[in-house]
Amino acid sequence: DSILFVGLVGTGVLCGMAVFKRDVVYGVLAALTGIVLQSLSLKFDAEGDTLRVLSAVLDTNFWLSTHVVMITIGYATSIITAMVAHAALIHRVVHPHAATRHASLYRTTNTLSFGAMFTTALGTILGGIWADQSWGRFWGWDPKENGALLIVLWLIWVLHGRIGGFLHETSTLALLAALNVVVALSWFGVN
């Protein structure tokens, strides 16, 4: 279900960006994001549910809805950021003299990376509050908690390097493109 939701949010935002910015690149990214995530969801659906039934220890619907929705929006925003970073890197190779377009894509990745960091950090904090109310502790070094924290730390590291002048445009874009790997590790790897 989370793959479908992230795919819906990701393609919806990218389609909105295509209309708002009047740029076909975002439409292509929306299609690619949708195809990849929906193919992934079909793969998981075909395999069936491989997780055993667990007893619910976090049993409040309020925190379930707020934390899970926010963290999956954080995943979607991170995937969007990485996809735009990939497009920016490819565009630099294919059209090396289009400085205005390079600058536009770079600014967009910077804006998206702040949004990804905010939504993922907020989702992680909401998960900590949920754990505190259910288990009596805010942080327990649970693998899913660590995975969500990994995304936040990756984004903080990249943004700090960019703002501090330690990372140039190409290295910033490369690290933001690698954000897809970090999200995949957090989302699927810890399971």
Side-chain angles (χ1 to χ4, degrees):
D1 293 343
S2 67
I3 300 171
L4 294 173
F5 181 73
V6 169
L8 178 68
V9 171
T11 55
V13 169
L14 285 167
C15 285
M17 290 174 67
V19 170
F20 179 73
K21 290 184 174 265
R22 298 175 193 226
D23 193 344
V24 72
V25 169
Y26 299 105
V28 170
L29 291 176
L32 285 173
T33 302
I35 289 168
V36 168
L37 289 174
Q38 298 317 309
S39 298
L40 191 61
S41 70
L42 289 173
K43 176 195 171 297
F44 277 103
D45 185 46
E47 290 177 0
D49 191 3
T50 58
L51 298 174
R52 67 181 192 278
V53 177
L54 300 173
S55 61
V57 292
L58 302 174
D59 57 355
T60 59
N61 286 331
F62 174 75
W63 290 114
L64 174 67
S65 60
T66 56
H67 161 67
V68 172
V69 168
M70 187 54 64
I71 202 71
T72 51
I73 289 173
Y75 290 165
T77 311
S78 297
I79 290 170
I80 292 167
T81 303
M83 294 296 285
V84 174
H86 276 92
L89 288 170
I90 292 168
H91 192 269
R92 285 171 185 261
V93 171
V94 174
H95 302 288
H97 302 294
T100 305
R101 184 63 181 267
H102 297 321
S104 173
L105 288 169
Y106 183 67
R107 278 192 310 275
T108 301
T109 59
N110 287 329
T111 303
L112 288 169
S113 62
F114 277 107
M117 185 185 68
F118 174 76
T119 53
T120 308
L122 182 59
T124 303
I125 291 167
L126 289 171
I129 294 169
W130 185 16
D132 184 50
Q133 289 188 354
S134 296
W135 292 331
R137 61 173 173 71
F138 181 80
W139 193 265
W141 298 103
D142 177 87
K144 287 302 267 186
E145 292 172 342
N146 293 339
L149 181 64
L150 181 63
I151 297 171
V152 175
L153 291 175
W154 185 270
L155 285 164
I156 288 172
W157 176 57
V158 173
L159 290 171
H160 179 72
R162 184 190 62 81
I163 293 168
F166 302 110
L167 296 174
H168 299 290
E169 286 187 17
T170 304
S171 54
T172 300
L173 289 171
L175 290 171
L176 288 175
L179 183 59
N180 273 342
V181 175
V182 177
V183 171
L185 287 172
S186 173
W187 196 5
F188 301 111
V190 298
N191 288 339

